[in-house]
Amino acid sequence: MGRGGGKPGAQSARGRKQTWQEWLDDYEAASECISKHNVEERCTDAGGLTRISNFLPEFVAEGILSVLKSIPDSKWNETSAREDYRQNNISHSFASVKQAKGLDAVIRLFTLVRPEGLHAFSAAKYCKRDHIAPHDDRAYTQVQLDSGRVITTSRDLAIIYYLTKDWKEEYGGVLVDLEDAAAGPSGRRYVPQWNSVVAFKVPRYHAVTPLATDRPRYSIFGWFLLPGKRYPLYTGDDLEEHKQRTLRAKHGQQPERKGKAAEEGEEGVEEEEEDGGDEQEVQAAPRSRAGAAGSSGRAGQPASKRHHGAEPEVVNSSNERHINRHAAAADAAAGDAAMVVTSVQAGSRGRSMHPEPSGGSVVRLPGRWQGRRKHMCI
Ligand SMILES: O=C(O)CCC(=O)C(=O)O
Ligand SMILES: [Fe+2]
C-alpha cells in the first residue's frame, strides 16, 4: 500500500487533505479519535459490553478495508475445529492474520484504546459457513517481556472492529451476546455494522452465527491483556458445566452448584507481581489440548502450527514496568519499541489461539508513534 495512495480525507495542519495512511501515522489525530470514544468507560457503564458506531473517520475505515481486501488468500491462516468438550474445542472456523502489508499501522491504532496495555490483535475474514460456537474468550497468554522474562497474562478486554458494509441479519455472521440479562437466554444479536466497534470485558459468553452469504466478513479483533491469572480456565466436562451454570445464573434461573468448577467460582485471581516473574509457573503451565482432534488447519502446515493451544502471538512493550499501567498517558512509554513474544494457552474456549508463527522486528515509527509500545504482527 503506497503512501498517499488513498482518497484524501481529514484536513491536515497545513491545509491539505490527509490520506488515510497519513491519518494512521498522525499520532495526535489517531489518539484524539480513539480516546474520545472512552471505550472502557462505556463498556463498564453498559454492564460489560458496548457497541460504538462510526468509530473512525469514514475515509480511514475505507482505507483499513482496502488493507484487508488486499491481503492475498495465501496469507490468511484458516483455523477450524469441531465441537469437542473433552479436547477443549468449541466449533469454529474463520481465517485470521497478524502481519500483512499495511496491517501494522491498523493494529497500532486499536492499541490506543488502552495505550499502555499489552495486547494481541489480528485481522479476521469469515467466509460462508464460518462461525464460532458459544465461548467466553478466557485464555492465558504467555508474554515474554523485553528483559526476556516470561509472564502469564489473561485476556481482559475484547475489541472487535467491523468492516462489513450494508450487512444484513440474513447474511449471518451475527455476534450474539449471551450474557445480556435483558435479552434473555437467546442473547442480544449484533449484526456487524460497518465502521463500528463492539467491546466487552472478558470473560463473557458470546457466539458468531454461521455466515450464509458469499460476501466476506472482515474485522479487526483482539484483546488487551492483564498480567496474572485473572480467572480460572475450564476444560473437559467443566467447560460445558461452567457455560450452563453461567448462563442460567445470568438469566434468572437457579444455577446448578456442583463439581469442582462451581466451587472455584470466579474469584480465583492470581495476580503476578509487577516486578516478580513467575517463570516456574509459566514453564509448568499445561499446554492446551485444544485443536488436537477435529482440527483442520491450512494444508501443509505442521500440526504444531495448527494447534490452538500454544501458538505464539507477538506484541510489543516499550517498557515492561508499565505493564500494569494501562491507563497512563499515551506518550509515557518512551524508549525503544521492543518486541514481546507471547504464546496463548487455551482458555475455556477452544478457539483462543491463532495459528501463526512468531518472530518480528523493530520498525521505526513516524512522529510520536516512536517510542510507543508497538504490536508486531508476523
Ligand atoms: O467477530 C466477532 O463478532 C466476534 C469474534 C470472536 O468472538 C472471537 O474472535 O473470539
Ligand atoms: Fe470471542
Side-chain angles (χ1 to χ4, degrees):
M1 206 72 43
R3 294 278 131 189
K7 270 202 210 137
Q11 203 83 15
S12 76
R14 278 171 277 128
R16 187 178 61 79
K17 295 258 186 186
Q18 274 184 319
T19 64
W20 61 268
Q21 294 98 331
E22 287 167 343
W23 190 92
L24 286 176
D25 280 352
D26 181 343
Y27 176 83
E28 270 76 24
S31 184
E32 190 191 333
C33 170
I34 301 297
S35 59
K36 78 165 193 277
H37 288 305
N38 290 319
V39 176
E40 302 227 39
E41 210 178 303
R42 286 175 69 156
C43 199
T44 309
D45 292 352
L49 183 145
T50 189
R51 169 151 71 177
I52 304 172
S53 304
N54 300 316
F55 195 73
L56 298 175
E58 187 67 18
F59 75 105
V60 177
E62 292 280 2
I64 295 175
L65 178 59
S66 74
V67 169
L68 269 64
K69 279 184 168 172
S70 73
I71 299 173
D73 285 350
S74 59
K75 274 255 178 191
W76 289 100
N77 300 285
E78 284 156 34
T79 170
S80 70
R82 288 193 300 266
E83 192 101 21
D84 183 345
Y85 301 127
R86 267 158 235 289
Q87 297 291 344
N88 193 22
N89 263 334
I90 53 132
S91 174
H92 70 273
S93 73
F94 65 95
S96 69
V97 64
K98 289 180 184 306
Q99 195 176 51
K101 205 170 173 188
L103 193 54
D104 247 20
V106 172
I107 286 174
R108 186 181 67 194
L109 174 69
F110 288 93
T111 69
L112 292 175
V113 168
R114 187 182 274 187
E116 294 306 311
L118 293 168
H119 50 80
F121 279 93
S122 305
K125 181 182 183 181
Y126 290 65
C127 297
K128 204 163 190 174
R129 287 180 287 279
D130 281 352
H131 65 281
I132 316 182
H135 65 288
D136 67 3
D137 277 4
R138 280 168 201 254
Y140 300 150
T141 301
Q142 314 293 95
V143 178
Q144 188 180 357
L145 301 169
D146 308 8
S147 62
R149 186 163 68 85
V150 175
I151 63 163
T152 299
T153 68
S154 303
R155 288 177 181 170
D156 178 60
L157 179 72
I159 305 281
I160 311 139
Y161 173 67
Y162 296 104
L163 291 155
T164 37
K165 276 192 184 164
D166 306 316
W167 202 262
K168 296 191 172 71
E169 172 133 34
E170 57 263 34
Y171 296 167
V174 173
L175 173 71
V176 185
D177 172 20
L178 294 163
E179 295 204 30
D180 184 315
S186 57
R188 185 172 302 280
R189 297 168 71 81
Y190 292 91
V191 175
Q193 189 187 79
W194 164 251
N195 193 21
S196 73
V197 154
V198 168
F200 60 86
K201 284 287 283 181
V202 175
R204 188 172 181 109
Y205 278 100
H206 59 286
V208 179
T209 65
L211 246 72
T213 174
D214 289 324
R215 291 192 188 199
R217 174 193 193 265
Y218 289 110
S219 60
I220 302 291
F221 74 101
W223 298 269
F224 288 98
L225 314 168
L226 287 182
K229 295 183 175 178
R230 305 267 161 171
Y231 33 64
L233 301 184
Y234 298 99
T235 54
D237 291 338
D238 285 351
L239 177 60
E240 179 60 13
E241 194 188 312
H242 177 265
K243 184 179 83 186
Q244 299 298 340
R245 196 176 55 248
T246 304
L247 297 180
R248 272 199 301 267
K250 204 77 185 187
H251 301 298
Q253 293 151 48
Q254 200 56 37
E256 270 174 37
R257 299 291 298 178
K258 61 169 188 174
K260 185 169 140 275
E263 281 152 30
E264 279 170 2
E266 296 293 311
E267 286 76 48
V269 175
E270 269 177 51
E271 196 167 334
E272 279 182 0
E273 286 169 32
E274 207 166 340
D275 292 312
D278 198 353
E279 282 163 87
Q280 215 73 39
E281 184 177 50
V282 167
Q283 280 154 16
R287 289 170 69 88
S288 159
R289 288 168 294 140
S295 179
S296 66
R298 185 171 297 286
Q301 204 167 29
S304 62
K305 290 286 172 226
R306 293 191 266 113
H307 196 283
H308 282 198
E311 294 310 329
E313 291 186 9
V314 180
V315 294
N316 264 14
S317 165
S318 55
N319 186 338
E320 86 177 65
R321 281 173 317 197
H322 287 168
I323 54 178
N324 265 329
R325 285 200 244 142
H326 54 75
D331 57 354
D336 292 334
M339 196 173 69
V340 173
V341 182
T342 75
S343 69
V344 182
Q345 180 194 329
S348 39
R349 106 187 233 273
R351 62 131 318 239
S352 51
M353 312 323 148
H354 300 287
E356 293 181 47
S358 65
S361 56
V362 175
V363 177
R364 289 214 73 73
L365 302 171
R368 288 186 65 204
W369 285 108
Q370 218 164 346
R372 269 194 40 76
R373 177 173 297 153
K374 186 173 182 309
H375 185 115
M376 303 293 291
C377 302
I378 302 303

